[in-house]
Amino acid sequence: MELKLNISPCPNDTFMFDAMLNGRIDTEGLTFSAEYRDIEELNREAAAGLPDASKISCAALPSIAGAYRLSDSGAALGRGNGPLLVRRAGDDAPIRRIAVPGLRTTANGLVERLFPEIGERVPMLFSEIAAAVERGEFDAGVLIHEGRFVYSRRGLELVADLGIEWERRTGLPLPLGGIVVRRSLPDEVFRRFKRVLRRSIEYAFARPSESRDYIKAHAQELEDEVIDKHIALFVNEYSLSLGPEGRAAIEALTGTNAF
């Protein structure tokens, strides 16, 4: 059975999905037609019901929970992994207008919750935000994916780590993204998909070097050090299984039980 699968091109997704997409493990008869999308495109296509399975922002769960259910494996969830609000170094003007990587994203939801005084949030492609802030087009911007590791090269400085703020207020890890599967698919297919995805992540942990070429074929930043930092930050024990704490964190962020 072939499933239409949407994922992000960022290293944590390509690391986790490499084995199942590139013939390294038993997929139990499932095949995948994979498309690579920016996170806001992933959210938008899931809202339209287009893929069978997809990476999505956890903040988008309430709007799609009727059509999709969340996989126990594949999450980007943890501590110290939050989006970063940055501005030009030395700029102390009030922050009123910022760039965010999409209005459906967890990053935007965190700004809305943690910094309600920032009135104007403009969506743009995540990989273009740092440069736009550097050019002075915005007072600040929210960085995700690889950009959070290299912003200082552009003369930017940290205003707030949104993950740390979330943890300080809730005591919970931050749920950034997850993998959802269409509810209309048979339960048996959903169970197979979850087993295959977990097996793929376990394979990646056991043989991390095998996915490097695949990761670099899709990554924004190609330096091995940046890729390694990205994977270490976003792929962890919660990626194998959310567990009770991961589920509690998602419900705290979204107010939704999408399992």
Side-chain angles (χ1 to χ4, degrees), residues 105-125:
T105 61
T106 303
N108 181 62
L110 287 169
V111 173
E112 186 175 18
R113 179 180 297 199
L114 300 173
F115 296 93
E117 69 275 12
I118 299 178
E120 188 176 359
R121 302 185 303 278
V122 179
M124 67 184 308
L125 186 64

Side-chain angles (χ1 to χ4, degrees), residues 244-256:
E245 188 175 49
R247 290 172 177 248
I250 289 172
E251 292 192 26
L253 180 75
T254 67
T256 300

Side-chain angles (χ1 to χ4, degrees), residues 26 51 67 69 82 100 107 126 172 191 196 199 234 236 238 244 254:
D26 176 15
R69 51 184 167 177
V100 296
F126 76 93
L172 293 167
R191 290 193 293 270
V196 169
R199 189 177 303 134
F234 295 111
N236 52 39
Y238 296 111
T254 67

Side-chain angles (χ1 to χ4, degrees), residues 83-94:
L84 304 183
L85 180 64
V86 302
R87 69 187 308 169
R88 291 178 301 283
D91 185 356
D92 59 0

Side-chain angles (χ1 to χ4, degrees), residues 150-224:
V150 296
Y151 65 88
S152 61
R153 299 177 188 175
R154 293 186 174 275
L156 305 179
E157 65 181 12
L158 183 68
V159 176
D161 183 318
L162 303 183
I164 289 176
E165 289 296 318
W166 164 265
E167 292 175 42
R168 183 176 63 80
R169 298 189 189 195
T170 67
L172 293 167
L174 175 63
L176 292 168
I179 305 299
V180 294
V181 180
R182 190 193 300 277
R183 289 187 182 274
S184 61
L185 291 171
D187 287 345
E188 186 270 336
V189 173
F190 180 56
R191 290 193 293 270
R192 264 196 288 167
F193 177 87
K194 289 193 298 180
R195 288 195 300 269
V196 169
L197 177 53
R198 176 165 182 142
R199 189 177 303 134
S200 186
I201 299 168
E202 290 172 340
Y203 188 99
F205 277 135
R207 302 169 179 84
S209 63
E210 291 190 19
S211 60
R212 188 51 51 106
D213 288 344
Y214 175 59
I215 291 169
K216 286 190 172 184
H218 298 282
Q220 291 287 327
E221 298 285 344
L222 299 180
E223 297 174 29
D224 285 325

Side-chain angles (χ1 to χ4, degrees), residues 46-57:
L50 299 180
D52 294 311
S54 182
K55 170 73 170 287
I56 53 93
S57 295

